[in-house]
């Protein structure tokens, strides 16, 4: 069957973990797996362009066909792919920006090549709820920690930089090297080298005051979690490439951040939320480890 010309419709931004879809396309891959595309899915895929939150785990359950073996098919991996109508691009890098006109952006569910699933099948997609929940808590924690870090470092700048969603100088966006969401937390890596210092950041002061900065971040986080503000994902429609925003009414104002992930619905769900800050030996990089526990 031809590749779909429309984006996959996605349910995970609203917290969906279960949904019914039709198999639009099935394609064998060189690595011995098969990519399955549905018209709609609750599965959160890895975004190769900004791979912060990893793929959901779970199964696709096909209906009992005539003589066919029905049963759960494990989803081995799940990632965003792009189609120009002729070819499915499933690489480490998307060939074009998400949302580029003339392309369809789809969730590719990777399954065993001999999994009994065919184009035209109706399937129920079931996400592992415990794993999803842990990643959602981790992702919300990550956003809060970056905002709290920006606030704690607001006085460390001697030049103007772009503000974050709450108006603090955006250290996170300016210095970020990588961000990885983990179950119940995240690990963010920041560059503190020459180019950040040139932009007016006092890296030496951060090294000298690292413990005080961590304490300030943790104080802010405790206050925000106690406030138990609601978290929502704002979006105009269910298409995969439609921009989505994480929104939370914090005491400092409404935070709105572009985000493709999944989240808690209230900050109180995060329980105890703390960060640890670590500098590497030459002081050119900092790691922020964020963890929540109920
Ligand atoms: Zn995010």
């Amino acid at each position: 069957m031809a590749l779909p010309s429309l984006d996959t419709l996605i349910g995970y931004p609203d917290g969906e973990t279960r949904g019914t879809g039709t198999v639009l396309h099935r394609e064998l891959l060189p690595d011995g797996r098969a990519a399955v595309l549905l018209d709609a899915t609750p599965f959160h895929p890895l975004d190769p362009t900004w791979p912060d939150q990893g793929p959901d785990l779970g199964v696709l359950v096909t209906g009992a066909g005539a003589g066919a073996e029905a049963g759960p098919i494990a989803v081995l991996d799940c990632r965003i792919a792009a189609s120009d109508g002729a070819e499915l691009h499933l690489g480490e890098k998307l060939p074009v920006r998400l949302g580029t006109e003339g392309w369809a952006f789809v969730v590719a569910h990777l399954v065993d090549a001999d999994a009994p699933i065919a184009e035209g099948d109706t399937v129920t997609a079931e996400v592992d709820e415990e794993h999803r929940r842990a990643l959602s808590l981790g992702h919300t924690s990550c956003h809060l920690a970056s905002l709290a870090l920006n606030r704690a470092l607001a006085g460390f700048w001697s030049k103007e930089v772009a503000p974050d969603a709450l108006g603090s100088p955006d250290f996170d966006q300016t210095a970020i090297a990588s961000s990885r969401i983990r179950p119940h937390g995240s690990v963010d890596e920041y560059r503190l080298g020459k180019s950040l210092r040139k932009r007016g950041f006092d890296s030496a002061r951060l090294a000298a005051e690292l413990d005080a900065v961590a304490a300030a971040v943790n104080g802010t986080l405790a206050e925000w979690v106690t406030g138990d503000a609601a978290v929502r994902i704002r979006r105009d429609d269910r298409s995969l490439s439609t921009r989505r925003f994480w929104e939370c009414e914090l005491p400092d104002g409404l935070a709105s951040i572009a985000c493709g992930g999944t989240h808690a619905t209230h900050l109180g769900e995060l329980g105890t939320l703390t960060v640890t800050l670590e500098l590497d030996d030459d002081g050119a990089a900092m790691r922020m480890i964020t963890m929540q526990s109920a």
Side-chain angles (χ1 to χ4, degrees), residues 14 19-20 31 42-43 46 53 104 129 152 168 185 191 196 209 245 256 262 264 292:
D14 299 335
T20 302
D31 67 5
F43 271 79
L46 179 85
Q53 183 176 338
E129 291 186 358
S168 299
R191 291 190 197 92
L196 194 69
E209 300 180 14
F245 297 88
S256 180
T262 67
Q292 64 81 217

Side-chain angles (χ1 to χ4, degrees), residues 66-171:
E69 194 74 13
I73 295 164
V75 175
L76 307 172
D77 195 2
C78 185
R79 48 195 301 131
I80 296 179
S83 166
D84 54 7
E87 201 186 327
L88 185 65
H89 297 263
L90 235 176
E92 290 304 310
K93 204 167 167 275
L94 291 178
V96 289
R97 262 179 92 92
L98 201 67
T100 301
E101 219 172 306
W103 290 74
F105 298 88
V106 295
V107 175
H109 311 76
L110 304 189
V111 301
D112 262 338
D114 53 5
I117 185 167
E119 289 172 1
D121 281 355
T122 300
V123 303
T124 304
E126 297 178 8
V127 172
D128 179 328
E129 291 186 358
E130 200 177 325
H131 181 249
R132 158 73 72 77
R133 169 93 180 142
L135 292 178
S136 296
L137 293 170
H139 203 145
T140 304
S141 300
C142 181
H143 283 210
L144 289 183
S146 64
L147 290 168
L149 179 64
N150 288 343
R151 185 159 106 167
L153 296 176
F156 286 57
W157 295 89
S158 60
K159 296 179 187 168
E160 196 139 329
V161 288
D164 71 8
L166 297 177
S168 299
D170 202 339
F171 171 85

